[in-house]
């Protein structure tokens, strides 16, 4: 037995690190890479929990065989069908043709749809269980965390939760998967960015899942991405709880587009006044330079949001429009919002952003500011008034 792979009891880590991929879901940068976590339970009967991206199948199979040799795997538990985890299902069935697939009704529709795989299956309902010998597993359906078929598997013997994407984060696990054995600094911001971009739309299902799990004694969380959590469960659960309630810290994100620096002057004037008024957390993003995943991460972190856009072809500046679309998709709420814009000969951005606000769940805290061509004393005063309104709204929350 390789002690380095053991997590608890007879549970082993057989996941892989991806340091090659540039963009997760072909959209989100991976400066620290990403891990695809899979777990092997080497019990009276052997069970595998989720698989890995198919590109890593050879490494994956070798890791499995280092633990069980030529013995068969009886069960493949499929908590989540997104291909970063389900990608190796076909090949696993090829190498283990008698394996029984364990999932729920929604899972099997996707297994057939993606991989054309049929065969023996155990279709579970919420609360069903599977006895492996030492480990006794119970299944909890947690739809839309992050797809409709998602479920979690709870090991009642060792109090281990196999949570799928929940409690996951970007970043490979270097040297060990255990949170007790590695430096965790890089994961905390990457957890917020992962949540904001991947799970961010599904705040309400995450809250339902947290409520469902609240009665369980959980000593270890085995997510599909990032470290295995033991000593940090309270912190990790707290982050997921806060983010899924769209709760946030005091602070303001100012995200703006600016082709020649004029709209940027408005952003600078607003930021300077916010700082003058005692708002310490101010994060400014030029939307043409900052990748949207970082802007979204900061928007999930801070309660104030101010967006600025020049007018471009009688529309909102396309990079700002793209950010607004990502915000709308995630149904971000509980934010204090203000906006500003500029134009050269005919204003459109501010007018069109008003339509966005109308449909959003944001609380508008100030009149928008619109500037023609370049900064004037009047525009500066309007920007400062906008900042005062935002600071005032944030400070009101300090009183409780
Ligand atoms: Fe890591 Fe939703 O897949």
């Amino acid at each position: 037995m390789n002690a380095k792979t053991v997590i608890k009891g007879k549970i082993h880590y057989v996941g892989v690190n991806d340091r090659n991929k540039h963009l997760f879901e072909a959209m989100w940068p991976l400066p620290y890479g990403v891990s695809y976590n899979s777990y092997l339970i080497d019990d009276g009967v052997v069970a595998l929990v989720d698989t890995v991206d198919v590109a890593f199948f050879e490494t994956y199979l070798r890791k499995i065989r280092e633990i069980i040799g030529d013995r068969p795997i009886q069960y493949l538990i499929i908590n989540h069908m997104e291909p970063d985890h389900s990608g190796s299902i076909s090949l696993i069935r090829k190498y283990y043709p008698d394996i029984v697939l364990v999932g729920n009704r929604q899972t099997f529709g996707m297994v057939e749809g993606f991989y054309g795989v049929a065969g023996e299956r155990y279709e579970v309902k919420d609360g069903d269980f599977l006895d492996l010998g030492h480990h006794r597993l119970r299944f909890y359906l947690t739809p839309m965390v992050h797809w409709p078929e998602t479920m979690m598997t709870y090991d009642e013997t060792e109090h281990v939760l196999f949570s799928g994407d929940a409690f996951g984060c970007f970043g490979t696990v270097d040297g060990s998967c255990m949170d007790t054995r590695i430096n965790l600094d890089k994961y905390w911001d990457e957890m917020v960015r992962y949540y904001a971009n991947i799970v961010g739309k599904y705040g309400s299902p995450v809250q339902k899942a947290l409520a469902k799990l609240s009665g369980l004694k959980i000593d270890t969380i085995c997510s599909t991405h990032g470290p295995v959590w033991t000593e940090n469960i309270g912190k990790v659960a707290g982050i997921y709880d806060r983010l899924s309630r769209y709760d946030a810290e005091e602070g303001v994100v100012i995200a703006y587009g600016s082709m020649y620096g004029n709209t940027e002057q408005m952003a600078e004037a607003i930021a300077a006044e916010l700082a003058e008024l005692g708002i310490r957390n101010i994060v400014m993003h030029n939307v043409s330079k900052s990748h949207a995943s970082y802007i979204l991460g900061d928007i999930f972190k801070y309660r104030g949001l101010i967006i600025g856009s020049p007018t471009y072809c009688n529309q909102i500046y396309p990079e700002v429009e793209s950010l607004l679309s990502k915000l709308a998709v995630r149904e971000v709420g509980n934010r204090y919002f203000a906006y500003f814009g500029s134009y050269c000969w005919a204003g459109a951005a501010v007018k069109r952003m008003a339509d966005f606000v109308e449909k959003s769940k944001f609380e508008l805290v100030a009149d928008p500011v619109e500037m023609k061509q370049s900064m004037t004393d009047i525009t500066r005063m309007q920007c400062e008034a906008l900042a005062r309104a935002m600071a005032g709204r944030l400070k009101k929350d300090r009183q409780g």
Side-chain angles (χ1 to χ4, degrees), residues 24 80 82 84-85 146 165 194 224-225:
F24 191 77
H80 184 21
E82 194 165 3
D84 50 337
H85 312 296
H146 129 247
D165 282 345
Y194 172 83
T224 46
H225 298 291

Side-chain angles (χ1 to χ4, degrees), residues 266-391:
M266 301 175 81
E268 295 283 13
I270 291 166
E273 186 68 7
L274 284 170
E276 183 72 18
L277 294 167
I279 302 300
R280 291 289 167 261
N281 295 319
I282 300 170
V283 186
M284 300 181 72
H285 286 289
N286 179 335
V287 294
S288 300
K289 177 150 189 238
S290 298
H291 190 278
S293 70
Y294 291 90
I295 308 176
L296 287 169
D298 285 331
I299 290 171
F300 269 76
K301 212 164 163 184
Y302 296 116
R303 205 171 303 138
L305 173 60
I306 302 174
I307 293 187
S309 175
T311 296
Y312 191 89
C313 294
N314 205 33
Q315 300 288 335
I316 294 172
Y317 188 57
E319 300 303 317
V320 175
E321 180 87 62
S322 169
L323 177 65
L324 297 181
S325 151
K326 291 179 177 74
L327 281 171
V329 163
R330 283 158 184 76
E331 299 174 25
V332 180
N334 290 346
R335 291 294 177 277
Y336 305 139
F337 187 72
Y339 62 103
F340 60 94
S342 67
Y343 64 95
C344 179
W345 66 92
V350 163
K351 188 156 45 90
R352 292 184 191 276
M353 279 199 284
D355 298 338
F356 166 79
V357 180
E358 184 88 0
K359 292 179 199 140
S360 76
K361 294 180 179 174
F362 296 147
E363 180 182 329
L364 188 64
V365 300
D367 291 333
V369 181
E370 189 172 38
M371 178 180 80
K372 184 175 182 183
Q373 292 158 0
S374 69
M375 185 64 99
T376 61
D377 287 345
I378 289 174
T379 303
R380 184 175 302 282
M381 281 191 288
Q382 289 172 329
C383 288
E384 288 169 355
L386 183 152
R388 279 197 298 279
M390 177 62 79

